[in-house]
Amino acid sequence: MDWSPIWISLRTASISIFVTFFAGILVAWGVISRRREGTKMFWDGVLTLPLVLPPTVVGFFLLYLFGVKRPLGRLFLDLFGVKIAFSWIATVLAAVVVSFPLMYRSARGAFEQVDENLVDAARTLGMSEWTIFRKVILANAVPGVVSGGVLAFARGLGEFGATAMIAGNIAGKTRTLPMAVYSEVAAGNMEKAYGYVAIVVVIAFVSVMAMNWIGVMEKKRKNR
């Protein structure tokens, strides 16, 4: 078995969740801080769109923006000498864009469940909005935020459609676990495909168990 798809997937998912986790938290806070409901609805729609679009369509837009002859792709190539499309960076980009909505919506849902009385009490004590966010909102929303991170990690690890469009299926470079499964099945190498599938299933199962464990721990904390 070629182990490179495993390492590529783990490295891609690890870096993408690092970006997605913190970006999702900050963006969710920014959206719920808006006073106008219309503004909230607009940004919520924009930020959630990659979740409901077919992954290949998401990949199409990424390729349109980051292709070698496209605006952002040419900018990165001219200024930094970095080619985005069909490189390992493209696998991270696809994983971030596709998994971000899960992290964003989980964080937003967790923030909105925090008791408003706690927030109001913090304001009466003279706390700044940033301090309220860190010490009140985020502190009480940790289980939901962490669960969102687990889901986003699993989603980034299993990304296929957008990765195929923007990164391709280059062995040893952009071939992630889902791409490896597809390649082996297409080539008729079912034994290798079984091995890759088993690894994906184990990682996905561990992710779900971790999320369930977080929920159990939160219930125990509340019952104390």
Side-chain angles (χ1 to χ4, degrees):
M1 177 186 290
D2 180 10
W3 292 91
S4 64
I6 301 171
W7 306 128
I8 291 172
S9 289
L10 290 175
R11 187 170 58 157
T12 297
S14 298
I15 294 179
S16 67
I17 190 54
F18 179 80
V19 175
T20 302
F21 185 79
F22 294 103
I25 290 173
L26 293 175
V27 172
W29 178 51
V31 171
I32 66 172
S33 298
R34 302 301 95 191
R35 294 183 178 181
R36 295 184 177 180
E37 288 299 323
T39 303
K40 288 183 181 181
M41 291 175 62
F42 171 79
W43 284 113
D44 188 74
V46 171
L47 296 168
T48 307
L49 197 58
L51 183 64
V52 296
L53 284 175
T56 50
V57 174
V58 175
F60 172 83
F61 282 117
L62 290 176
L63 187 61
Y64 184 83
L65 292 173
F66 291 95
V68 177
K69 296 183 179 180
R70 295 299 178 178
L72 293 179
R74 178 170 293 181
L75 178 66
F76 275 91
L77 190 60
D78 292 342
L79 292 182
F80 308 107
V82 176
K83 179 185 175 184
I84 302 295
F86 302 104
S87 68
W88 175 75
I89 298 175
T91 65
V92 177
L93 179 63
V96 167
V97 173
V98 172
S99 63
F100 174 82
L102 281 173
M103 184 64 221
Y104 157 73
R105 293 201 67 86
S106 296
R108 178 177 175 177
F111 294 160
E112 290 177 335
Q113 290 179 9
V114 175
D115 190 347
E116 283 291 334
N117 293 325
L118 295 176
V119 177
D120 293 338
R123 290 196 176 106
T124 60
L125 294 174
M127 289 185 180
S128 66
E129 291 299 317
W130 175 243
T131 303
I132 292 172
F133 171 69
R134 289 188 298 110
K135 295 186 176 182
V136 179
I137 299 176
L138 186 58
N140 285 278
V142 167
V145 170
V146 174
S147 295
V150 173
L151 285 174
F153 175 82
R155 182 67 186 86
L157 188 71
E159 167 50 34
F160 177 82
T163 301
M165 292 291 290
I166 184 67
N169 186 17
I170 306 172
K173 187 176 181 182
T174 66
R175 181 172 292 174
T176 58
L177 274 170
M179 299 297 298
V181 172
Y182 174 81
S183 298
E184 298 302 341
V185 171
N189 300 323
M190 298 306 294
E191 290 188 2
K192 289 184 178 180
Y194 294 149
Y196 289 131
V197 168
I199 293 171
V200 173
V201 170
V202 168
I203 295 175
F205 180 75
V206 170
S207 298
V208 173
M209 292 300 294
M211 190 171 58
N212 291 336
W213 180 80
I214 293 170
V216 171
M217 291 298 101
E218 176 61 11
K219 287 182 180 179
K220 289 182 178 180
R221 185 184 70 84
K222 289 182 178 180
N223 292 331
R224 288 177 184 174

